[in-house]
Amino acid sequence: MKKQINVVGAIIVKNGKILCAQRGYDKSLPELWEFPGGKIEIGESPSQALKREIREELLLELANDIEEFMFTSYEYDFGIVNLTTFICHIQNGEPTLTEHIEIKWLNKIELDQIDWAPADIPTVYKLKKTEIL
């Protein structure tokens, strides 16, 4: 049985655009794009994990209006990723790259112009159909 990996992803919205982050060269799934976030640690709620991960990865503080958007599960060769994405907004800071190689702010119709990690693709499809922005 494959390892279950529970992760969170931030759909950070600002001025009608969504922050997209490109994974580093030394990470699994190098150079693919994702909604930034990471693993939920023992004892953390998903929203606590999301805030911690965004603080660590992008040096941003998220506002408290975090809203669950979608749950997906994708089987990679290294395990099954269970991804919960959340709509959120920046409270303080500007995105600073600490783990990613690039970020882009894209509107919904531009989201399919980049090469997404497979676990993130269902969220991209749903975002394109949703009136959240």
Side-chain angles (χ1 to χ4, degrees), residues 1-65:
M1 184 163 179
K2 287 196 173 181
K3 181 179 177 180
Q4 299 279 327
I5 306 163
N6 298 313
V7 300
V8 289
I11 303 166
I12 300 173
V13 179
K14 182 178 177 182
N15 299 325
K17 296 196 173 191
I18 298 165
L19 187 132
C20 309
Q22 189 175 28
R23 295 179 61 81
Y25 302 112
D26 59 342
K27 303 286 183 186
S28 61
L29 310 171
E31 299 182 68
L32 293 180
W33 290 81
E34 67 179 356
F35 298 105
K39 293 179 187 171
I40 301 171
E41 294 182 357
I42 295 171
E44 279 185 321
S45 70
S47 62
Q48 288 170 328
L50 189 72
K51 285 186 157 196
R52 176 187 51 75
E53 286 285 350
I54 297 307
R55 191 177 317 109
E56 291 172 2
E57 288 185 7
L58 296 169
L59 307 181
L60 292 175
E61 292 296 326
L62 294 178
N64 289 324
D65 62 345

Side-chain angles (χ1 to χ4, degrees), residues 9-124:
I11 303 166
I12 300 173
V13 179
K14 182 178 177 182
N15 299 325
K17 296 196 173 191
I18 298 165
L19 187 132
C20 309
Q22 189 175 28
R23 295 179 61 81
Y25 302 112
D26 59 342
K27 303 286 183 186
S28 61
L29 310 171
E31 299 182 68
L32 293 180
W33 290 81
E34 67 179 356
F35 298 105
K39 293 179 187 171
I40 301 171
E41 294 182 357
I42 295 171
E44 279 185 321
S45 70
S47 62
Q48 288 170 328
L50 189 72
K51 285 186 157 196
R52 176 187 51 75
E53 286 285 350
I54 297 307
R55 191 177 317 109
E56 291 172 2
E57 288 185 7
L58 296 169
L59 307 181
L60 292 175
E61 292 296 326
L62 294 178
N64 289 324
D65 62 345
I66 296 171
E67 178 184 339
E68 186 172 329
F69 183 70
M70 185 173 187
F71 174 83
T72 61
S73 188
Y74 188 85
E75 186 173 345
Y76 292 99
D77 58 352
F78 56 82
I80 298 169
V81 171
N82 301 308
L83 170 64
T84 305
T85 50
F86 296 84
I87 303 290
C88 46
H89 301 89
I90 297 170
Q91 179 174 310
N92 290 314
E94 287 296 321
T96 303
L97 299 178
T98 65
E99 295 185 18
H100 296 93
I101 54 178
E102 186 178 352
I103 59 167
K104 291 184 180 186
W105 289 98
L106 300 177
N107 62 43
K108 290 191 311 185
I109 61 170
E110 297 172 317
L111 290 176
D112 52 11
Q113 295 176 2
I114 56 178
D115 193 11
W116 289 92
D120 292 274
I121 291 172
T123 301
V124 170

